[in-house]
Amino acid sequence: MFIGNLEDMFGATGRQNWVSRWTNIGDAHCLVGELNSKKGASAEAAEAWLCALTAFEVARRLVDKDDPEGKEVSAKVETGIQRLESSLDHQLERISIPCYDQTELLAYYLPAGGPDLCAPAVICISREEEPGATLLGRLLPVVIGRGMSVLVVAHDDLSNHWRGQSDMLLSCCLDYLSLRPDVDAARIGIYGEGMSAALATHFAVFDNRVAAAVCDGGAWNSVRVNASVKWITGHAEPVDEGAFSARRLRLLRQLNCPVLVVAGGRGIVSVSEAIKLKADCLGARTDLELTIPPMSRTTVGEIENFLSSDDSIFGWLERKLHTRNPCCAGRQGKSRGHR
C-alpha cells in the first residue's frame, strides 16, 4: 500500500522524512519481536522481525545512494536477521563452500524444512556491490513458507574472477546443494539480480543441472556486443537487427531450462530488449517468460515495488521447481555433470 501510493506521498514530505519513518517502523517491529520472544511466542516474534526486515528494505530503497544513513539501515538488516534466527523453525546457516584451488565461497543457507523434506532449492546472487546479507534480508519474508531452500551468495565474491571461474564457483554451490539430503538435486534453480542476471544466464548454459533460471536471457551480452560493433566501426546507424537476433537465438537454444527475465526497474534488461528476446524464443522453443516490476514515479525518481516483484519471481520459481521431477529422480540427478 505504501509503495503503491508513493506518487501522492512524496508531494507532502521529502525522501529523508520517509527514510526516518520507515526506519522507525522497522525498529518498532523489532521491539515487538523481542517482547514476543521473551514470552515464548516464537511465531509472533518471527512475523514481527520479518515485518521489520521489509520496513528496513523500504527505507534502504528510499535513502540516497551516498547518504551514510544507508549503511546504518543495512546494519539494521543484518541485526534483524540475527534476531529472526532464534524464532525460525529451521536453522539459518552461514556456510563456507569448498571450491577449486583451496578457495572457499561464503554463503547463507536457509533450508525449507527438516533434513528429510527433499525440497527444491535456489541459488540467489546479489546485485553488484551488495552484500549477501542485504539480499537475504529482503528475500526472507518472500521465501519462508514456499517449501524451497535458498543459498545466497554475493555478486562481488563471484565477479572478481573471470567468467569461467564464476561458473565453476557456482557449480560448487550446486554440488553443495546436490549433496544435501534435504535438497532435490533435480530441482535446483538460479536467480541473479542486476549484473548477476548475466552471470545466471552463463551458468545455466554452463551447467545443465540448472532446473530454472531467473536471468537476463543473454540480453546484456547482446547489447554489449552491439555497442562494441558500433564503437569499432564508428557507425551510428542501427546494426543489422537480423544478425543480432540470430546471435540471441544461438544463446537461447543453449538454455535447457525454463527462463524468467526481469525487464525494466533496477535490472539490466530494458523492456524493449526483453520483448525482442521473447520474440526470438518463440521460434527457439525456449520456455521464456517476462516480468516487469511495478514502478512508482515520484518527484525524486522511479522507485520499484520490490514486494510485488519478488512475489512474482519466487512464485514463478515455485511453480517451475515444484512441477519438475519428483525427489526419487533427483537422487539420480546427482550424477549429471556440467558442460
Side-chain angles (χ1 to χ4, degrees), residues 6 15 61 265-266 295-304:
L6 278 178
R15 179 192 290 262
R61 295 289 176 114
R266 303 198 322 169
M295 304 293 292
S296 292
R297 296 183 182 275
T298 72
T299 56
V300 293
E302 289 189 330
I303 297 179
E304 178 184 319

Side-chain angles (χ1 to χ4, degrees), residues 215-220 222-223 241 248 252 259-265 267-282 288-293:
C215 59
D216 77 332
W220 172 252
S222 175
V223 171
E241 180 57 35
R248 286 192 296 263
L252 286 169
V259 172
L260 178 69
V261 174
V262 182
I268 61 173
V269 183
S270 66
V271 174
S272 60
E273 187 64 25
I275 292 174
K276 293 176 185 178
L277 277 174
K278 181 65 175 177
D280 289 338
C281 79
L282 293 177
L288 185 146
E289 298 181 39
L290 305 180
T291 182
I292 301 176

Side-chain angles (χ1 to χ4, degrees), residues 312-331:
S312 174
I313 291 169
F314 278 87
W316 180 87
L317 282 166
E318 186 177 14
R319 291 192 301 274
K320 294 299 181 180
L321 294 177
H322 279 289
T323 56
R324 298 286 287 184
N325 295 333
C327 189
C328 58
R331 298 302 109 198

Side-chain angles (χ1 to χ4, degrees), residues 83-156:
R83 290 168 170 167
L84 175 64
E85 286 185 68
S86 61
S87 299
L88 290 176
D89 294 331
H90 28 279
Q91 186 67 36
L92 175 64
E93 304 175 24
R94 293 169 177 80
I95 59 175
S96 180
I97 299 174
C99 301
Y100 60 93
D101 294 336
Q102 298 182 334
T103 60
E104 294 185 336
L105 186 64
L106 300 179
Y108 290 92
Y109 178 71
L110 179 70
D116 300 325
L117 184 59
C118 196
V122 181
I123 302 171
C124 304
I125 317 170
S126 71
R127 67 176 52 252
E128 56 277 18
E129 299 181 356
E130 181 179 85
T134 301
L135 176 60
L136 176 67
R138 197 191 87 218
L139 294 184
L140 280 173
V142 183
V143 300
I144 288 178
R146 287 192 183 271
M148 64 174 67
S149 302
V150 292
L151 181 77
V152 179
V153 296
H155 171 92
D156 294 350

Side-chain angles (χ1 to χ4, degrees), residues 9-25:
M9 293 177 176
F10 267 110
T13 186
R15 179 192 290 262
Q16 192 60 41
N17 288 337
W18 280 112
V19 172
S20 299
R21 179 171 298 190
W22 278 89
T23 301
N24 291 337
I25 289 173

